[in-house]
Amino acid sequence: MPFHSFIAKLVTQRRAAVWWAVALISAASIYVLVTRMKLDTEVLNLLPTGFESVEGLKVYNRDFSQVRELTFALVSQPEDVDKLEEFAPQFAQRLREQPWCTRVLAGAPIETPEGIRDLQSIAVPLLLNLEPAAFNETLALLEPQKIRERLQRLHQELEAGSPRPQIELGLDPLGVIGPALKPFAGNAAMEEDQPLTSPDRTMRVFLTVTNQASLSAFDCQKLMREVKAFQQSAHEGWDGGPLQILVTGRSAYVAEISLSMRHDIVITLLGSIVLVGAVFYIGFHRWLPLLGMGFSLLLCCLVALAAGLLIFHELNMVTVGFCAILIGLGVDFAILVFGRYQQARDEGSDHTAAVSEAVLTLGKAIFFGALTTAVGFMALLLAGSRGFTQLGVLIALGISFAGIFMLTVFFLVLPRKASTPRRDWMFDLVKKYVRWTVRRPGPMLWISIPLLLLLTAIALSPRPPIIFDVSTHSMEPKRSDAGYALKTIMEKMPARWEPVIGMVQAKDPQQLHDYWQKIAAHWTEVQAAGKIKGFSTPAALALSPARLQTNRERLRSANLSAARDALEAAIAAEGFSRETFDSAFTLLEQLQGAAYPSVQLPDWRTQLPPASSWWFLVDRYFAHDPLLATGFVTTNEPVATQEQKEMLHRELPVAGIPMVLSGWSFTLTDLVPWSQRQLILISALMAIFDVTLLAVLYRDWRLWLIQVATLAMAVCAMIASMKVLQIPLNLLNVLAFRLVLAIGVDYGIYVLLVWQKARQLDHDVAGVVKPVILAGLTAICGFGSLGAANNPTLAGLGYACALGLFWSLAATIFFTLPAAAAAEPKSWREESLQPRVKEPENV
């Protein structure tokens, strides 16, 4: 039994069995979704693997506490600067009182009594970590004569009215903490490269560390709901005038992007359904087939999602949005099949015969259409991105199931009784166009070829250039509060931009110390050469066990008891209060204890209080694993070009030290060559596949050449349109080229396969041209609905694909069809246009 007859009998005479199969498939799919649904909300999983910078960014997000940092900004008008200064301390205190806030940095820690006290608590290990020569010089300051001279000098300066001695007495009465903290405090000079107050004093920045469990989308959304509530209530009790409160940070971006994804999925899915449904109804004026198409597409999505969960065990949130794309593509099959089915019914065929005719005429075309589209999306496997891999596999599965279900399940919903034929104005217009084009292809070719060649010339010309946007703003939602806050901070504080991070993993503390000493020395040379603006490293905090042991042995030779006695005598002689020197006596006791090998040095990390502002510095450098640390390089300009990235790759690493360079802007710049390779390599592979498939499919070099020319000119027209309309390419919509190659080729396949077997061209070809037009419009609507997405990259993908499919459809109708007619022998074409006369049956 022929395949088309088998399908026709199956869906017309074994309807109950098919419905039971559908019910079982649906139940199994729903069971998988309910029991195994797990969503991956990590945005970074959309980036390709195999890049050191990408992996470094993932490690930084996972292992460093600083990524849980939020930046608040208080902004005032120039005339309200004094009010801003007055409100800032109140705002900082209210931040500290929030349950989600662990610590707040409202100013330089060294300028507060708490910051000085915290520094003094970790002075001993930092003092013992000095180089031996520097340690000996510092230890000499504890000689009795030096102590007496220091206190005498401070006394004289105080009597002279200088404020500096009071600061020294509070921070470093003996003068030994300064040398110990000099490397630490030097790296801690946040105000120099990351200021907390704008030059015009109209903005104050507050850094906060939150206690959120993770950077998952749901945790970030929960946190930002509480932060938004705080923003609304922070002004309560303040009547000093309006102040703007802004907030930005990784958590703010993750919350916005994930919510934007959810919005995009809902909006684009609903938009796609409405637009596709409208096109279908306008084309056929039937509601029941529209419902059947929707049911079949829902079944495709359901089965594809279940299969995806069984394959990947976890699906990225962006991947789930494939439903909007699948609706725009899968509906093509329904339109083609129903168009041919309805044409057969209007000509008097019964339900079974019409189903058989539709499958016979378009089964092969739908098979190859599904194949080319599936291969186009499966090409995303070569992208090396887990998110895009899932997207490619799910749409390939979905489009394959769509081809199967539209040739089977879709017919179950169609009424067995033929409806009254209606006048089809659209089919009449299409039929007239096909008859005119087939009879006289020349005029249409004289119009379409020059236009397509002009667009091809624009596409190949360097002017105007095509825009390639890889900035961080291309990844932000269109309406982003976090993006606006960051932009405002950058405008008010031009010195602030994202540094390049260099991560180093060591085997032990000594290796970590040695690594960062070498890195700091090398980066000092790079800075002196003017290749970077500045840098900061954890060198002062990466303690050396060998140096600690050496300095402890040297400490045993110091007479700390004599130093204590000299301090007591000098305090009395100069008339100082003994309470002022409590920290000095504590330090001497700690040094005396550290001189004995049996006494274990306390871990400086345990000495800092959890709420200490100095943790902003510590967490900036060290991961949860203390042997994983990072340094920061401030470039002369924000990293945005390949030349900058290559220079940093060349200059920053140190021979023999495994270092990973990363950072968000650095990573995006690093991905430009990848996206260009994706554009060229995979699109070329897709083109080779299409060309080979068409050669096997048509076995006619004329039709093959026409179809190849159609594809080439459609892609060029798409590029030209993006140039003229200034639609930028980004890391996502470079996929549009291979998708257009995969989907756009289907329109020509549908038309030319029917052309080859047509018995009455204006009738048979018109019968497929109308569904092809409707299918193209629905695909354009499906991708065009992505333009409503908040995410610019997703919207850009929708615009690019919609443009590409528009030109593929236009080229198929206005070039492929007349070109095929021109390639056929004239006598055969004229004969085939004559009405077919039904031969009398033999008696």
Side-chain angles (χ1 to χ4, degrees):
M1 181 184 297
F3 178 74
H4 60 90
S5 300
F6 171 76
I7 294 295
K9 289 187 177 182
L10 181 67
V11 298
T12 57
Q13 301 177 15
R14 297 287 187 271
R15 291 168 57 88
V18 178
W19 275 118
W20 273 109
V22 170
L24 289 174
I25 293 172
S26 302
S29 300
I30 292 172
Y31 174 79
V32 171
L33 292 178
V34 171
T35 58
R36 300 198 179 191
M37 176 59 78
K38 186 177 180 183
L39 291 179
D40 172 21
T41 58
E42 177 55 69
V43 177
L44 292 179
N45 285 337
L46 292 176
L47 299 181
T49 57
F51 285 86
E52 190 178 77
S53 56
V54 173
E55 298 307 315
L57 203 58
K58 291 180 180 179
V59 170
Y60 189 66
N61 274 5
R62 183 180 66 244
D63 295 339
F64 284 78
S65 299
Q66 194 198 17
V67 295
R68 290 171 173 78
E69 189 177 286
L70 288 177
T71 300
F72 286 84
L74 283 180
V75 185
S76 72
Q77 297 298 321
E79 61 271 15
D80 296 327
V81 169
D82 294 337
K83 297 177 181 179
L84 173 63
E85 294 296 330
E86 182 183 348
F87 181 64
Q90 299 179 35
F91 180 78
Q93 183 57 36
R94 292 179 183 180
L95 266 179
R96 294 186 180 96
E97 294 170 355
Q98 299 306 306
W100 42 266
C101 180
T102 302
R103 64 183 71 95
V104 175
L105 180 66
I110 202 169
E111 296 177 358
T112 64
E114 297 82 6
I116 293 173
R117 185 174 60 250
D118 295 341
L119 267 182
Q120 291 171 342
S121 68
I122 62 173
V124 172
L126 296 180
L127 181 62
L128 293 172
N129 194 53
L130 290 173
E131 294 182 3
F135 181 75
N136 290 335
E137 292 177 4
T138 303
L139 205 57
L141 297 175
L142 296 180
E143 295 175 0
Q145 182 62 27
K146 294 290 182 65
I147 292 176
R148 287 192 292 269
E149 291 175 355
R150 176 177 175 80
L151 266 62
Q152 185 178 15
R153 176 180 59 81
L154 292 175
H155 186 201
Q156 292 172 353
E157 292 178 354
L158 279 173
E159 289 182 342
S162 174
R164 180 180 176 184
Q166 193 64 45
I167 299 174
E168 287 194 45
L169 287 172
L171 174 62
D172 190 9
L174 294 175
V176 296
I177 295 181
L181 300 181
K182 185 177 180 180
F184 183 84
N187 280 343
M190 296 182 183
E191 283 289 323
E192 295 181 5
D193 60 343
Q194 299 291 303
L196 299 176
T197 303
S198 64
D200 61 2
R201 298 176 56 220
T202 59
M203 175 180 285
R204 283 286 303 273
V205 170
F206 303 82
L207 305 181
T208 6
V209 172
T210 66
N211 57 8
Q212 64 187 104
S214 70
L215 279 175
S216 71
F218 299 116
D219 284 338
C220 290
Q221 290 172 17
K222 178 183 176 183
L223 170 70
M224 292 310 298
R225 284 194 294 269
E226 298 177 1
V227 171
K228 295 293 184 184
F230 167 74
Q231 282 182 280
Q232 298 297 323
S233 63
H235 295 96
E236 291 180 0
W238 169 254
D239 56 1
L243 292 173
Q244 189 178 15
I245 301 176
L246 307 177
V247 62
T248 187
R250 191 63 52 85
S251 299
Y253 271 113
V254 171
E256 286 189 349
I257 291 173
S258 58
L259 288 173
S260 176
M261 288 177 183
R262 188 172 67 185
H263 165 273
D264 292 347
I265 290 171
V266 174
I267 294 299
T268 57
L269 186 58
L270 291 177
S272 181
I273 291 174
V274 170
L275 291 173
V276 166
V279 171
F280 187 94
Y281 184 77
I282 291 172
F284 296 108
H285 297 286
R286 299 285 192 277
W287 283 110
L288 193 58
L290 182 60
L291 296 176
M293 178 188 70
F295 173 76
S296 301
L297 287 175
L298 178 62
L299 185 62
C300 296
C301 296
L302 190 66
V303 176
L305 275 175
L309 281 173
L310 292 175
I311 295 171
F312 299 109
H313 310 294
E314 183 181 57
L315 296 179
N316 192 278
M317 282 189 67
V318 172
T319 304
V320 179
F322 86 103
C323 297
I325 299 175
L326 187 57
I327 287 175
L329 299 178
V331 72
D332 291 2
F333 301 150
I335 289 175
L336 288 165
V337 168
F338 183 71
R340 190 66 191 93
Y341 169 86
Q342 189 61 45
Q343 186 181 17
R345 294 304 299 265
D346 291 343
E347 293 171 353
S349 300
D350 61 16
H351 179 59
T352 303
V355 171
S356 178
E357 176 66 19
V359 176
L360 173 64
T361 305
L362 291 169
K364 183 179 179 181
I366 287 177
F367 169 79
F368 283 103
L371 176 64
T372 55
T373 304
V375 170
F377 278 96
M378 287 295 286
L380 294 179
L381 291 172
L382 301 177
S385 163
R386 187 165 70 181
F388 286 136
T389 294
Q390 293 178 3
L391 180 66
V393 171
L394 259 67
I395 295 186
L397 288 173
I399 205 68
S400 301
F401 288 128
I404 296 171
F405 293 152
M406 292 306 175
L407 290 174
T408 53
V409 177
F410 175 65
F411 292 119
L412 296 176
V413 188
L414 301 183
R416 300 176 66 88
K417 184 179 179 180
S419 57
T420 304
R422 302 179 182 181
R423 183 177 180 276
D424 191 338
W425 61 269
M426 185 176 182
F427 182 71
D428 290 342
L429 289 178
V430 170
K431 193 172 182 179
K432 289 179 181 178
Y433 169 76
V434 170
R435 182 181 289 115
W436 174 73
T437 303
V438 169
R439 282 178 172 168
R440 300 182 61 194
M444 181 52 63
L445 291 177
W446 276 108
I447 296 173
S448 61
I449 291 178
L451 175 61
L452 291 173
L453 289 179
L454 174 63
L455 292 171
T456 301
I458 294 175
L460 299 178
S461 171
R463 294 281 183 256
I466 192 163
I467 304 170
F468 205 100
D469 185 6
V470 293
S471 67
T472 54
H473 300 296
S474 69
M475 307 288 284
E476 294 176 0
K478 296 175 183 176
R479 296 173 292 276
S480 170
D481 292 338
Y484 171 76
L486 181 60
K487 180 182 178 182
T488 304
I489 293 173
M490 296 283 285
E491 290 175 350
K492 292 276 187 179
M493 302 177 179
R496 277 183 171 267
W497 57 73
E498 185 189 24
V500 175
I501 63 176
M503 282 186 289
V504 172
Q505 175 76 60
K507 297 179 181 178
D508 54 60
Q510 184 62 49
Q511 187 182 63
L512 185 71
H513 169 84
D514 295 341
Y515 278 170
W516 282 109
Q517 290 295 321
K518 294 178 182 178
I519 293 171
H522 176 69
W523 285 1
T524 300
E525 296 175 358
V526 177
Q527 181 181 6
K531 296 178 180 178
I532 59 175
K533 182 179 179 181
F535 69 91
S536 60
T537 72
L541 295 173
L543 304 187
S544 165
R547 188 177 289 179
L548 291 176
Q549 182 62 30
T550 300
N551 288 338
R552 290 182 74 177
E553 293 175 357
R554 173 68 182 84
L555 189 60
R556 285 200 295 270
S557 63
N559 190 347
L560 297 179
S561 297
R564 182 185 181 90
D565 294 340
L567 180 61
E568 293 273 12
I571 290 173
E574 301 298 333
F576 286 117
S577 170
R578 194 183 188 283
E579 293 180 356
T580 305
F581 292 85
D582 284 346
S583 61
F585 288 109
T586 301
L587 178 62
L588 289 173
E589 291 175 4
Q590 292 174 343
L591 287 173
Q592 198 161 10
Y596 296 95
S598 59
V599 177
Q600 185 175 1
L601 285 177
D603 186 352
W604 62 267
R605 294 172 181 270
T606 63
Q607 302 299 107
L608 280 177
S612 173
S613 297
W614 290 110
W615 278 110
F616 282 92
L617 181 68
V618 175
D619 289 341
R620 187 186 190 201
Y621 293 121
F622 291 95
H624 303 303
D625 176 5
L627 296 180
L628 175 61
T630 184
F632 299 87
V633 174
T634 304
T635 53
N636 295 318
E637 295 177 352
V639 179
T641 65
Q642 282 296 296
E643 291 74 16
Q644 289 174 294
K645 185 262 297 182
E646 291 171 0
M647 184 276 292
L648 295 170
H649 262 306
R650 184 174 59 252
E651 298 293 341
L652 295 184
V654 179
I657 299 179
M659 179 186 297
V660 175
L661 297 178
S662 190
W664 188 247
S665 298
F666 183 88
T667 300
L668 289 181
T669 306
D670 209 18
L671 293 180
V672 172
W674 167 81
S675 60
Q676 292 173 341
R677 286 196 301 270
Q678 291 290 298
L679 174 61
I680 297 172
L681 175 62
I682 303 183
S683 297
L685 292 176
M686 190 67 229
I688 293 173
F689 173 80
D690 282 350
V691 168
T692 305
L693 177 65
L694 293 174
V696 174
L697 190 59
Y698 297 146
R699 298 181 183 180
D700 184 329
W701 69 269
R702 295 170 300 178
L703 297 183
W704 175 84
L705 186 61
I706 291 169
Q707 183 71 32
V708 170
T710 302
L711 274 177
M713 289 189 291
V715 171
C716 288
M718 168 189 168
I719 297 174
S721 300
M722 293 182 69
K723 284 184 171 184
V724 172
L725 298 176
Q726 294 186 329
I727 298 175
L729 279 176
N730 54 50
L731 294 175
L732 182 59
N733 65 10
V734 294
L735 304 175
F737 292 92
R738 79 196 65 164
L739 299 184
V740 169
L741 287 171
I743 302 168
V745 70
D746 295 346
Y747 305 142
I749 289 175
Y750 299 146
V751 171
L752 293 182
L753 282 181
V754 172
W755 174 275
Q756 284 186 310
K757 297 182 178 180
R759 294 165 296 180
Q760 189 177 353
L761 287 182
D762 65 337
H763 175 271
D764 294 345
V765 176
V768 74
V769 168
K770 175 194 170 182
V772 164
I773 293 174
L774 293 174
L777 292 177
T778 55
I780 293 169
C781 289
F783 279 104
S785 66
L786 296 179
N790 275 337
N791 190 307
T793 54
L794 192 60
L797 175 65
Y799 291 139
C801 286
L803 280 174
L805 294 181
F806 168 78
W807 285 115
S808 296
L809 178 63
T812 299
I813 302 301
F814 299 114
F815 171 74
T816 303
L817 180 59
E824 291 287 353
K826 185 175 180 180
S827 59
W828 180 86
R829 185 171 67 249
E830 291 177 347
E831 290 176 4
S832 64
L833 286 170
Q834 302 301 320
R836 296 180 68 226
V837 180
K838 188 175 180 179
E839 297 179 0
E841 297 181 358
N842 294 328
V843 180

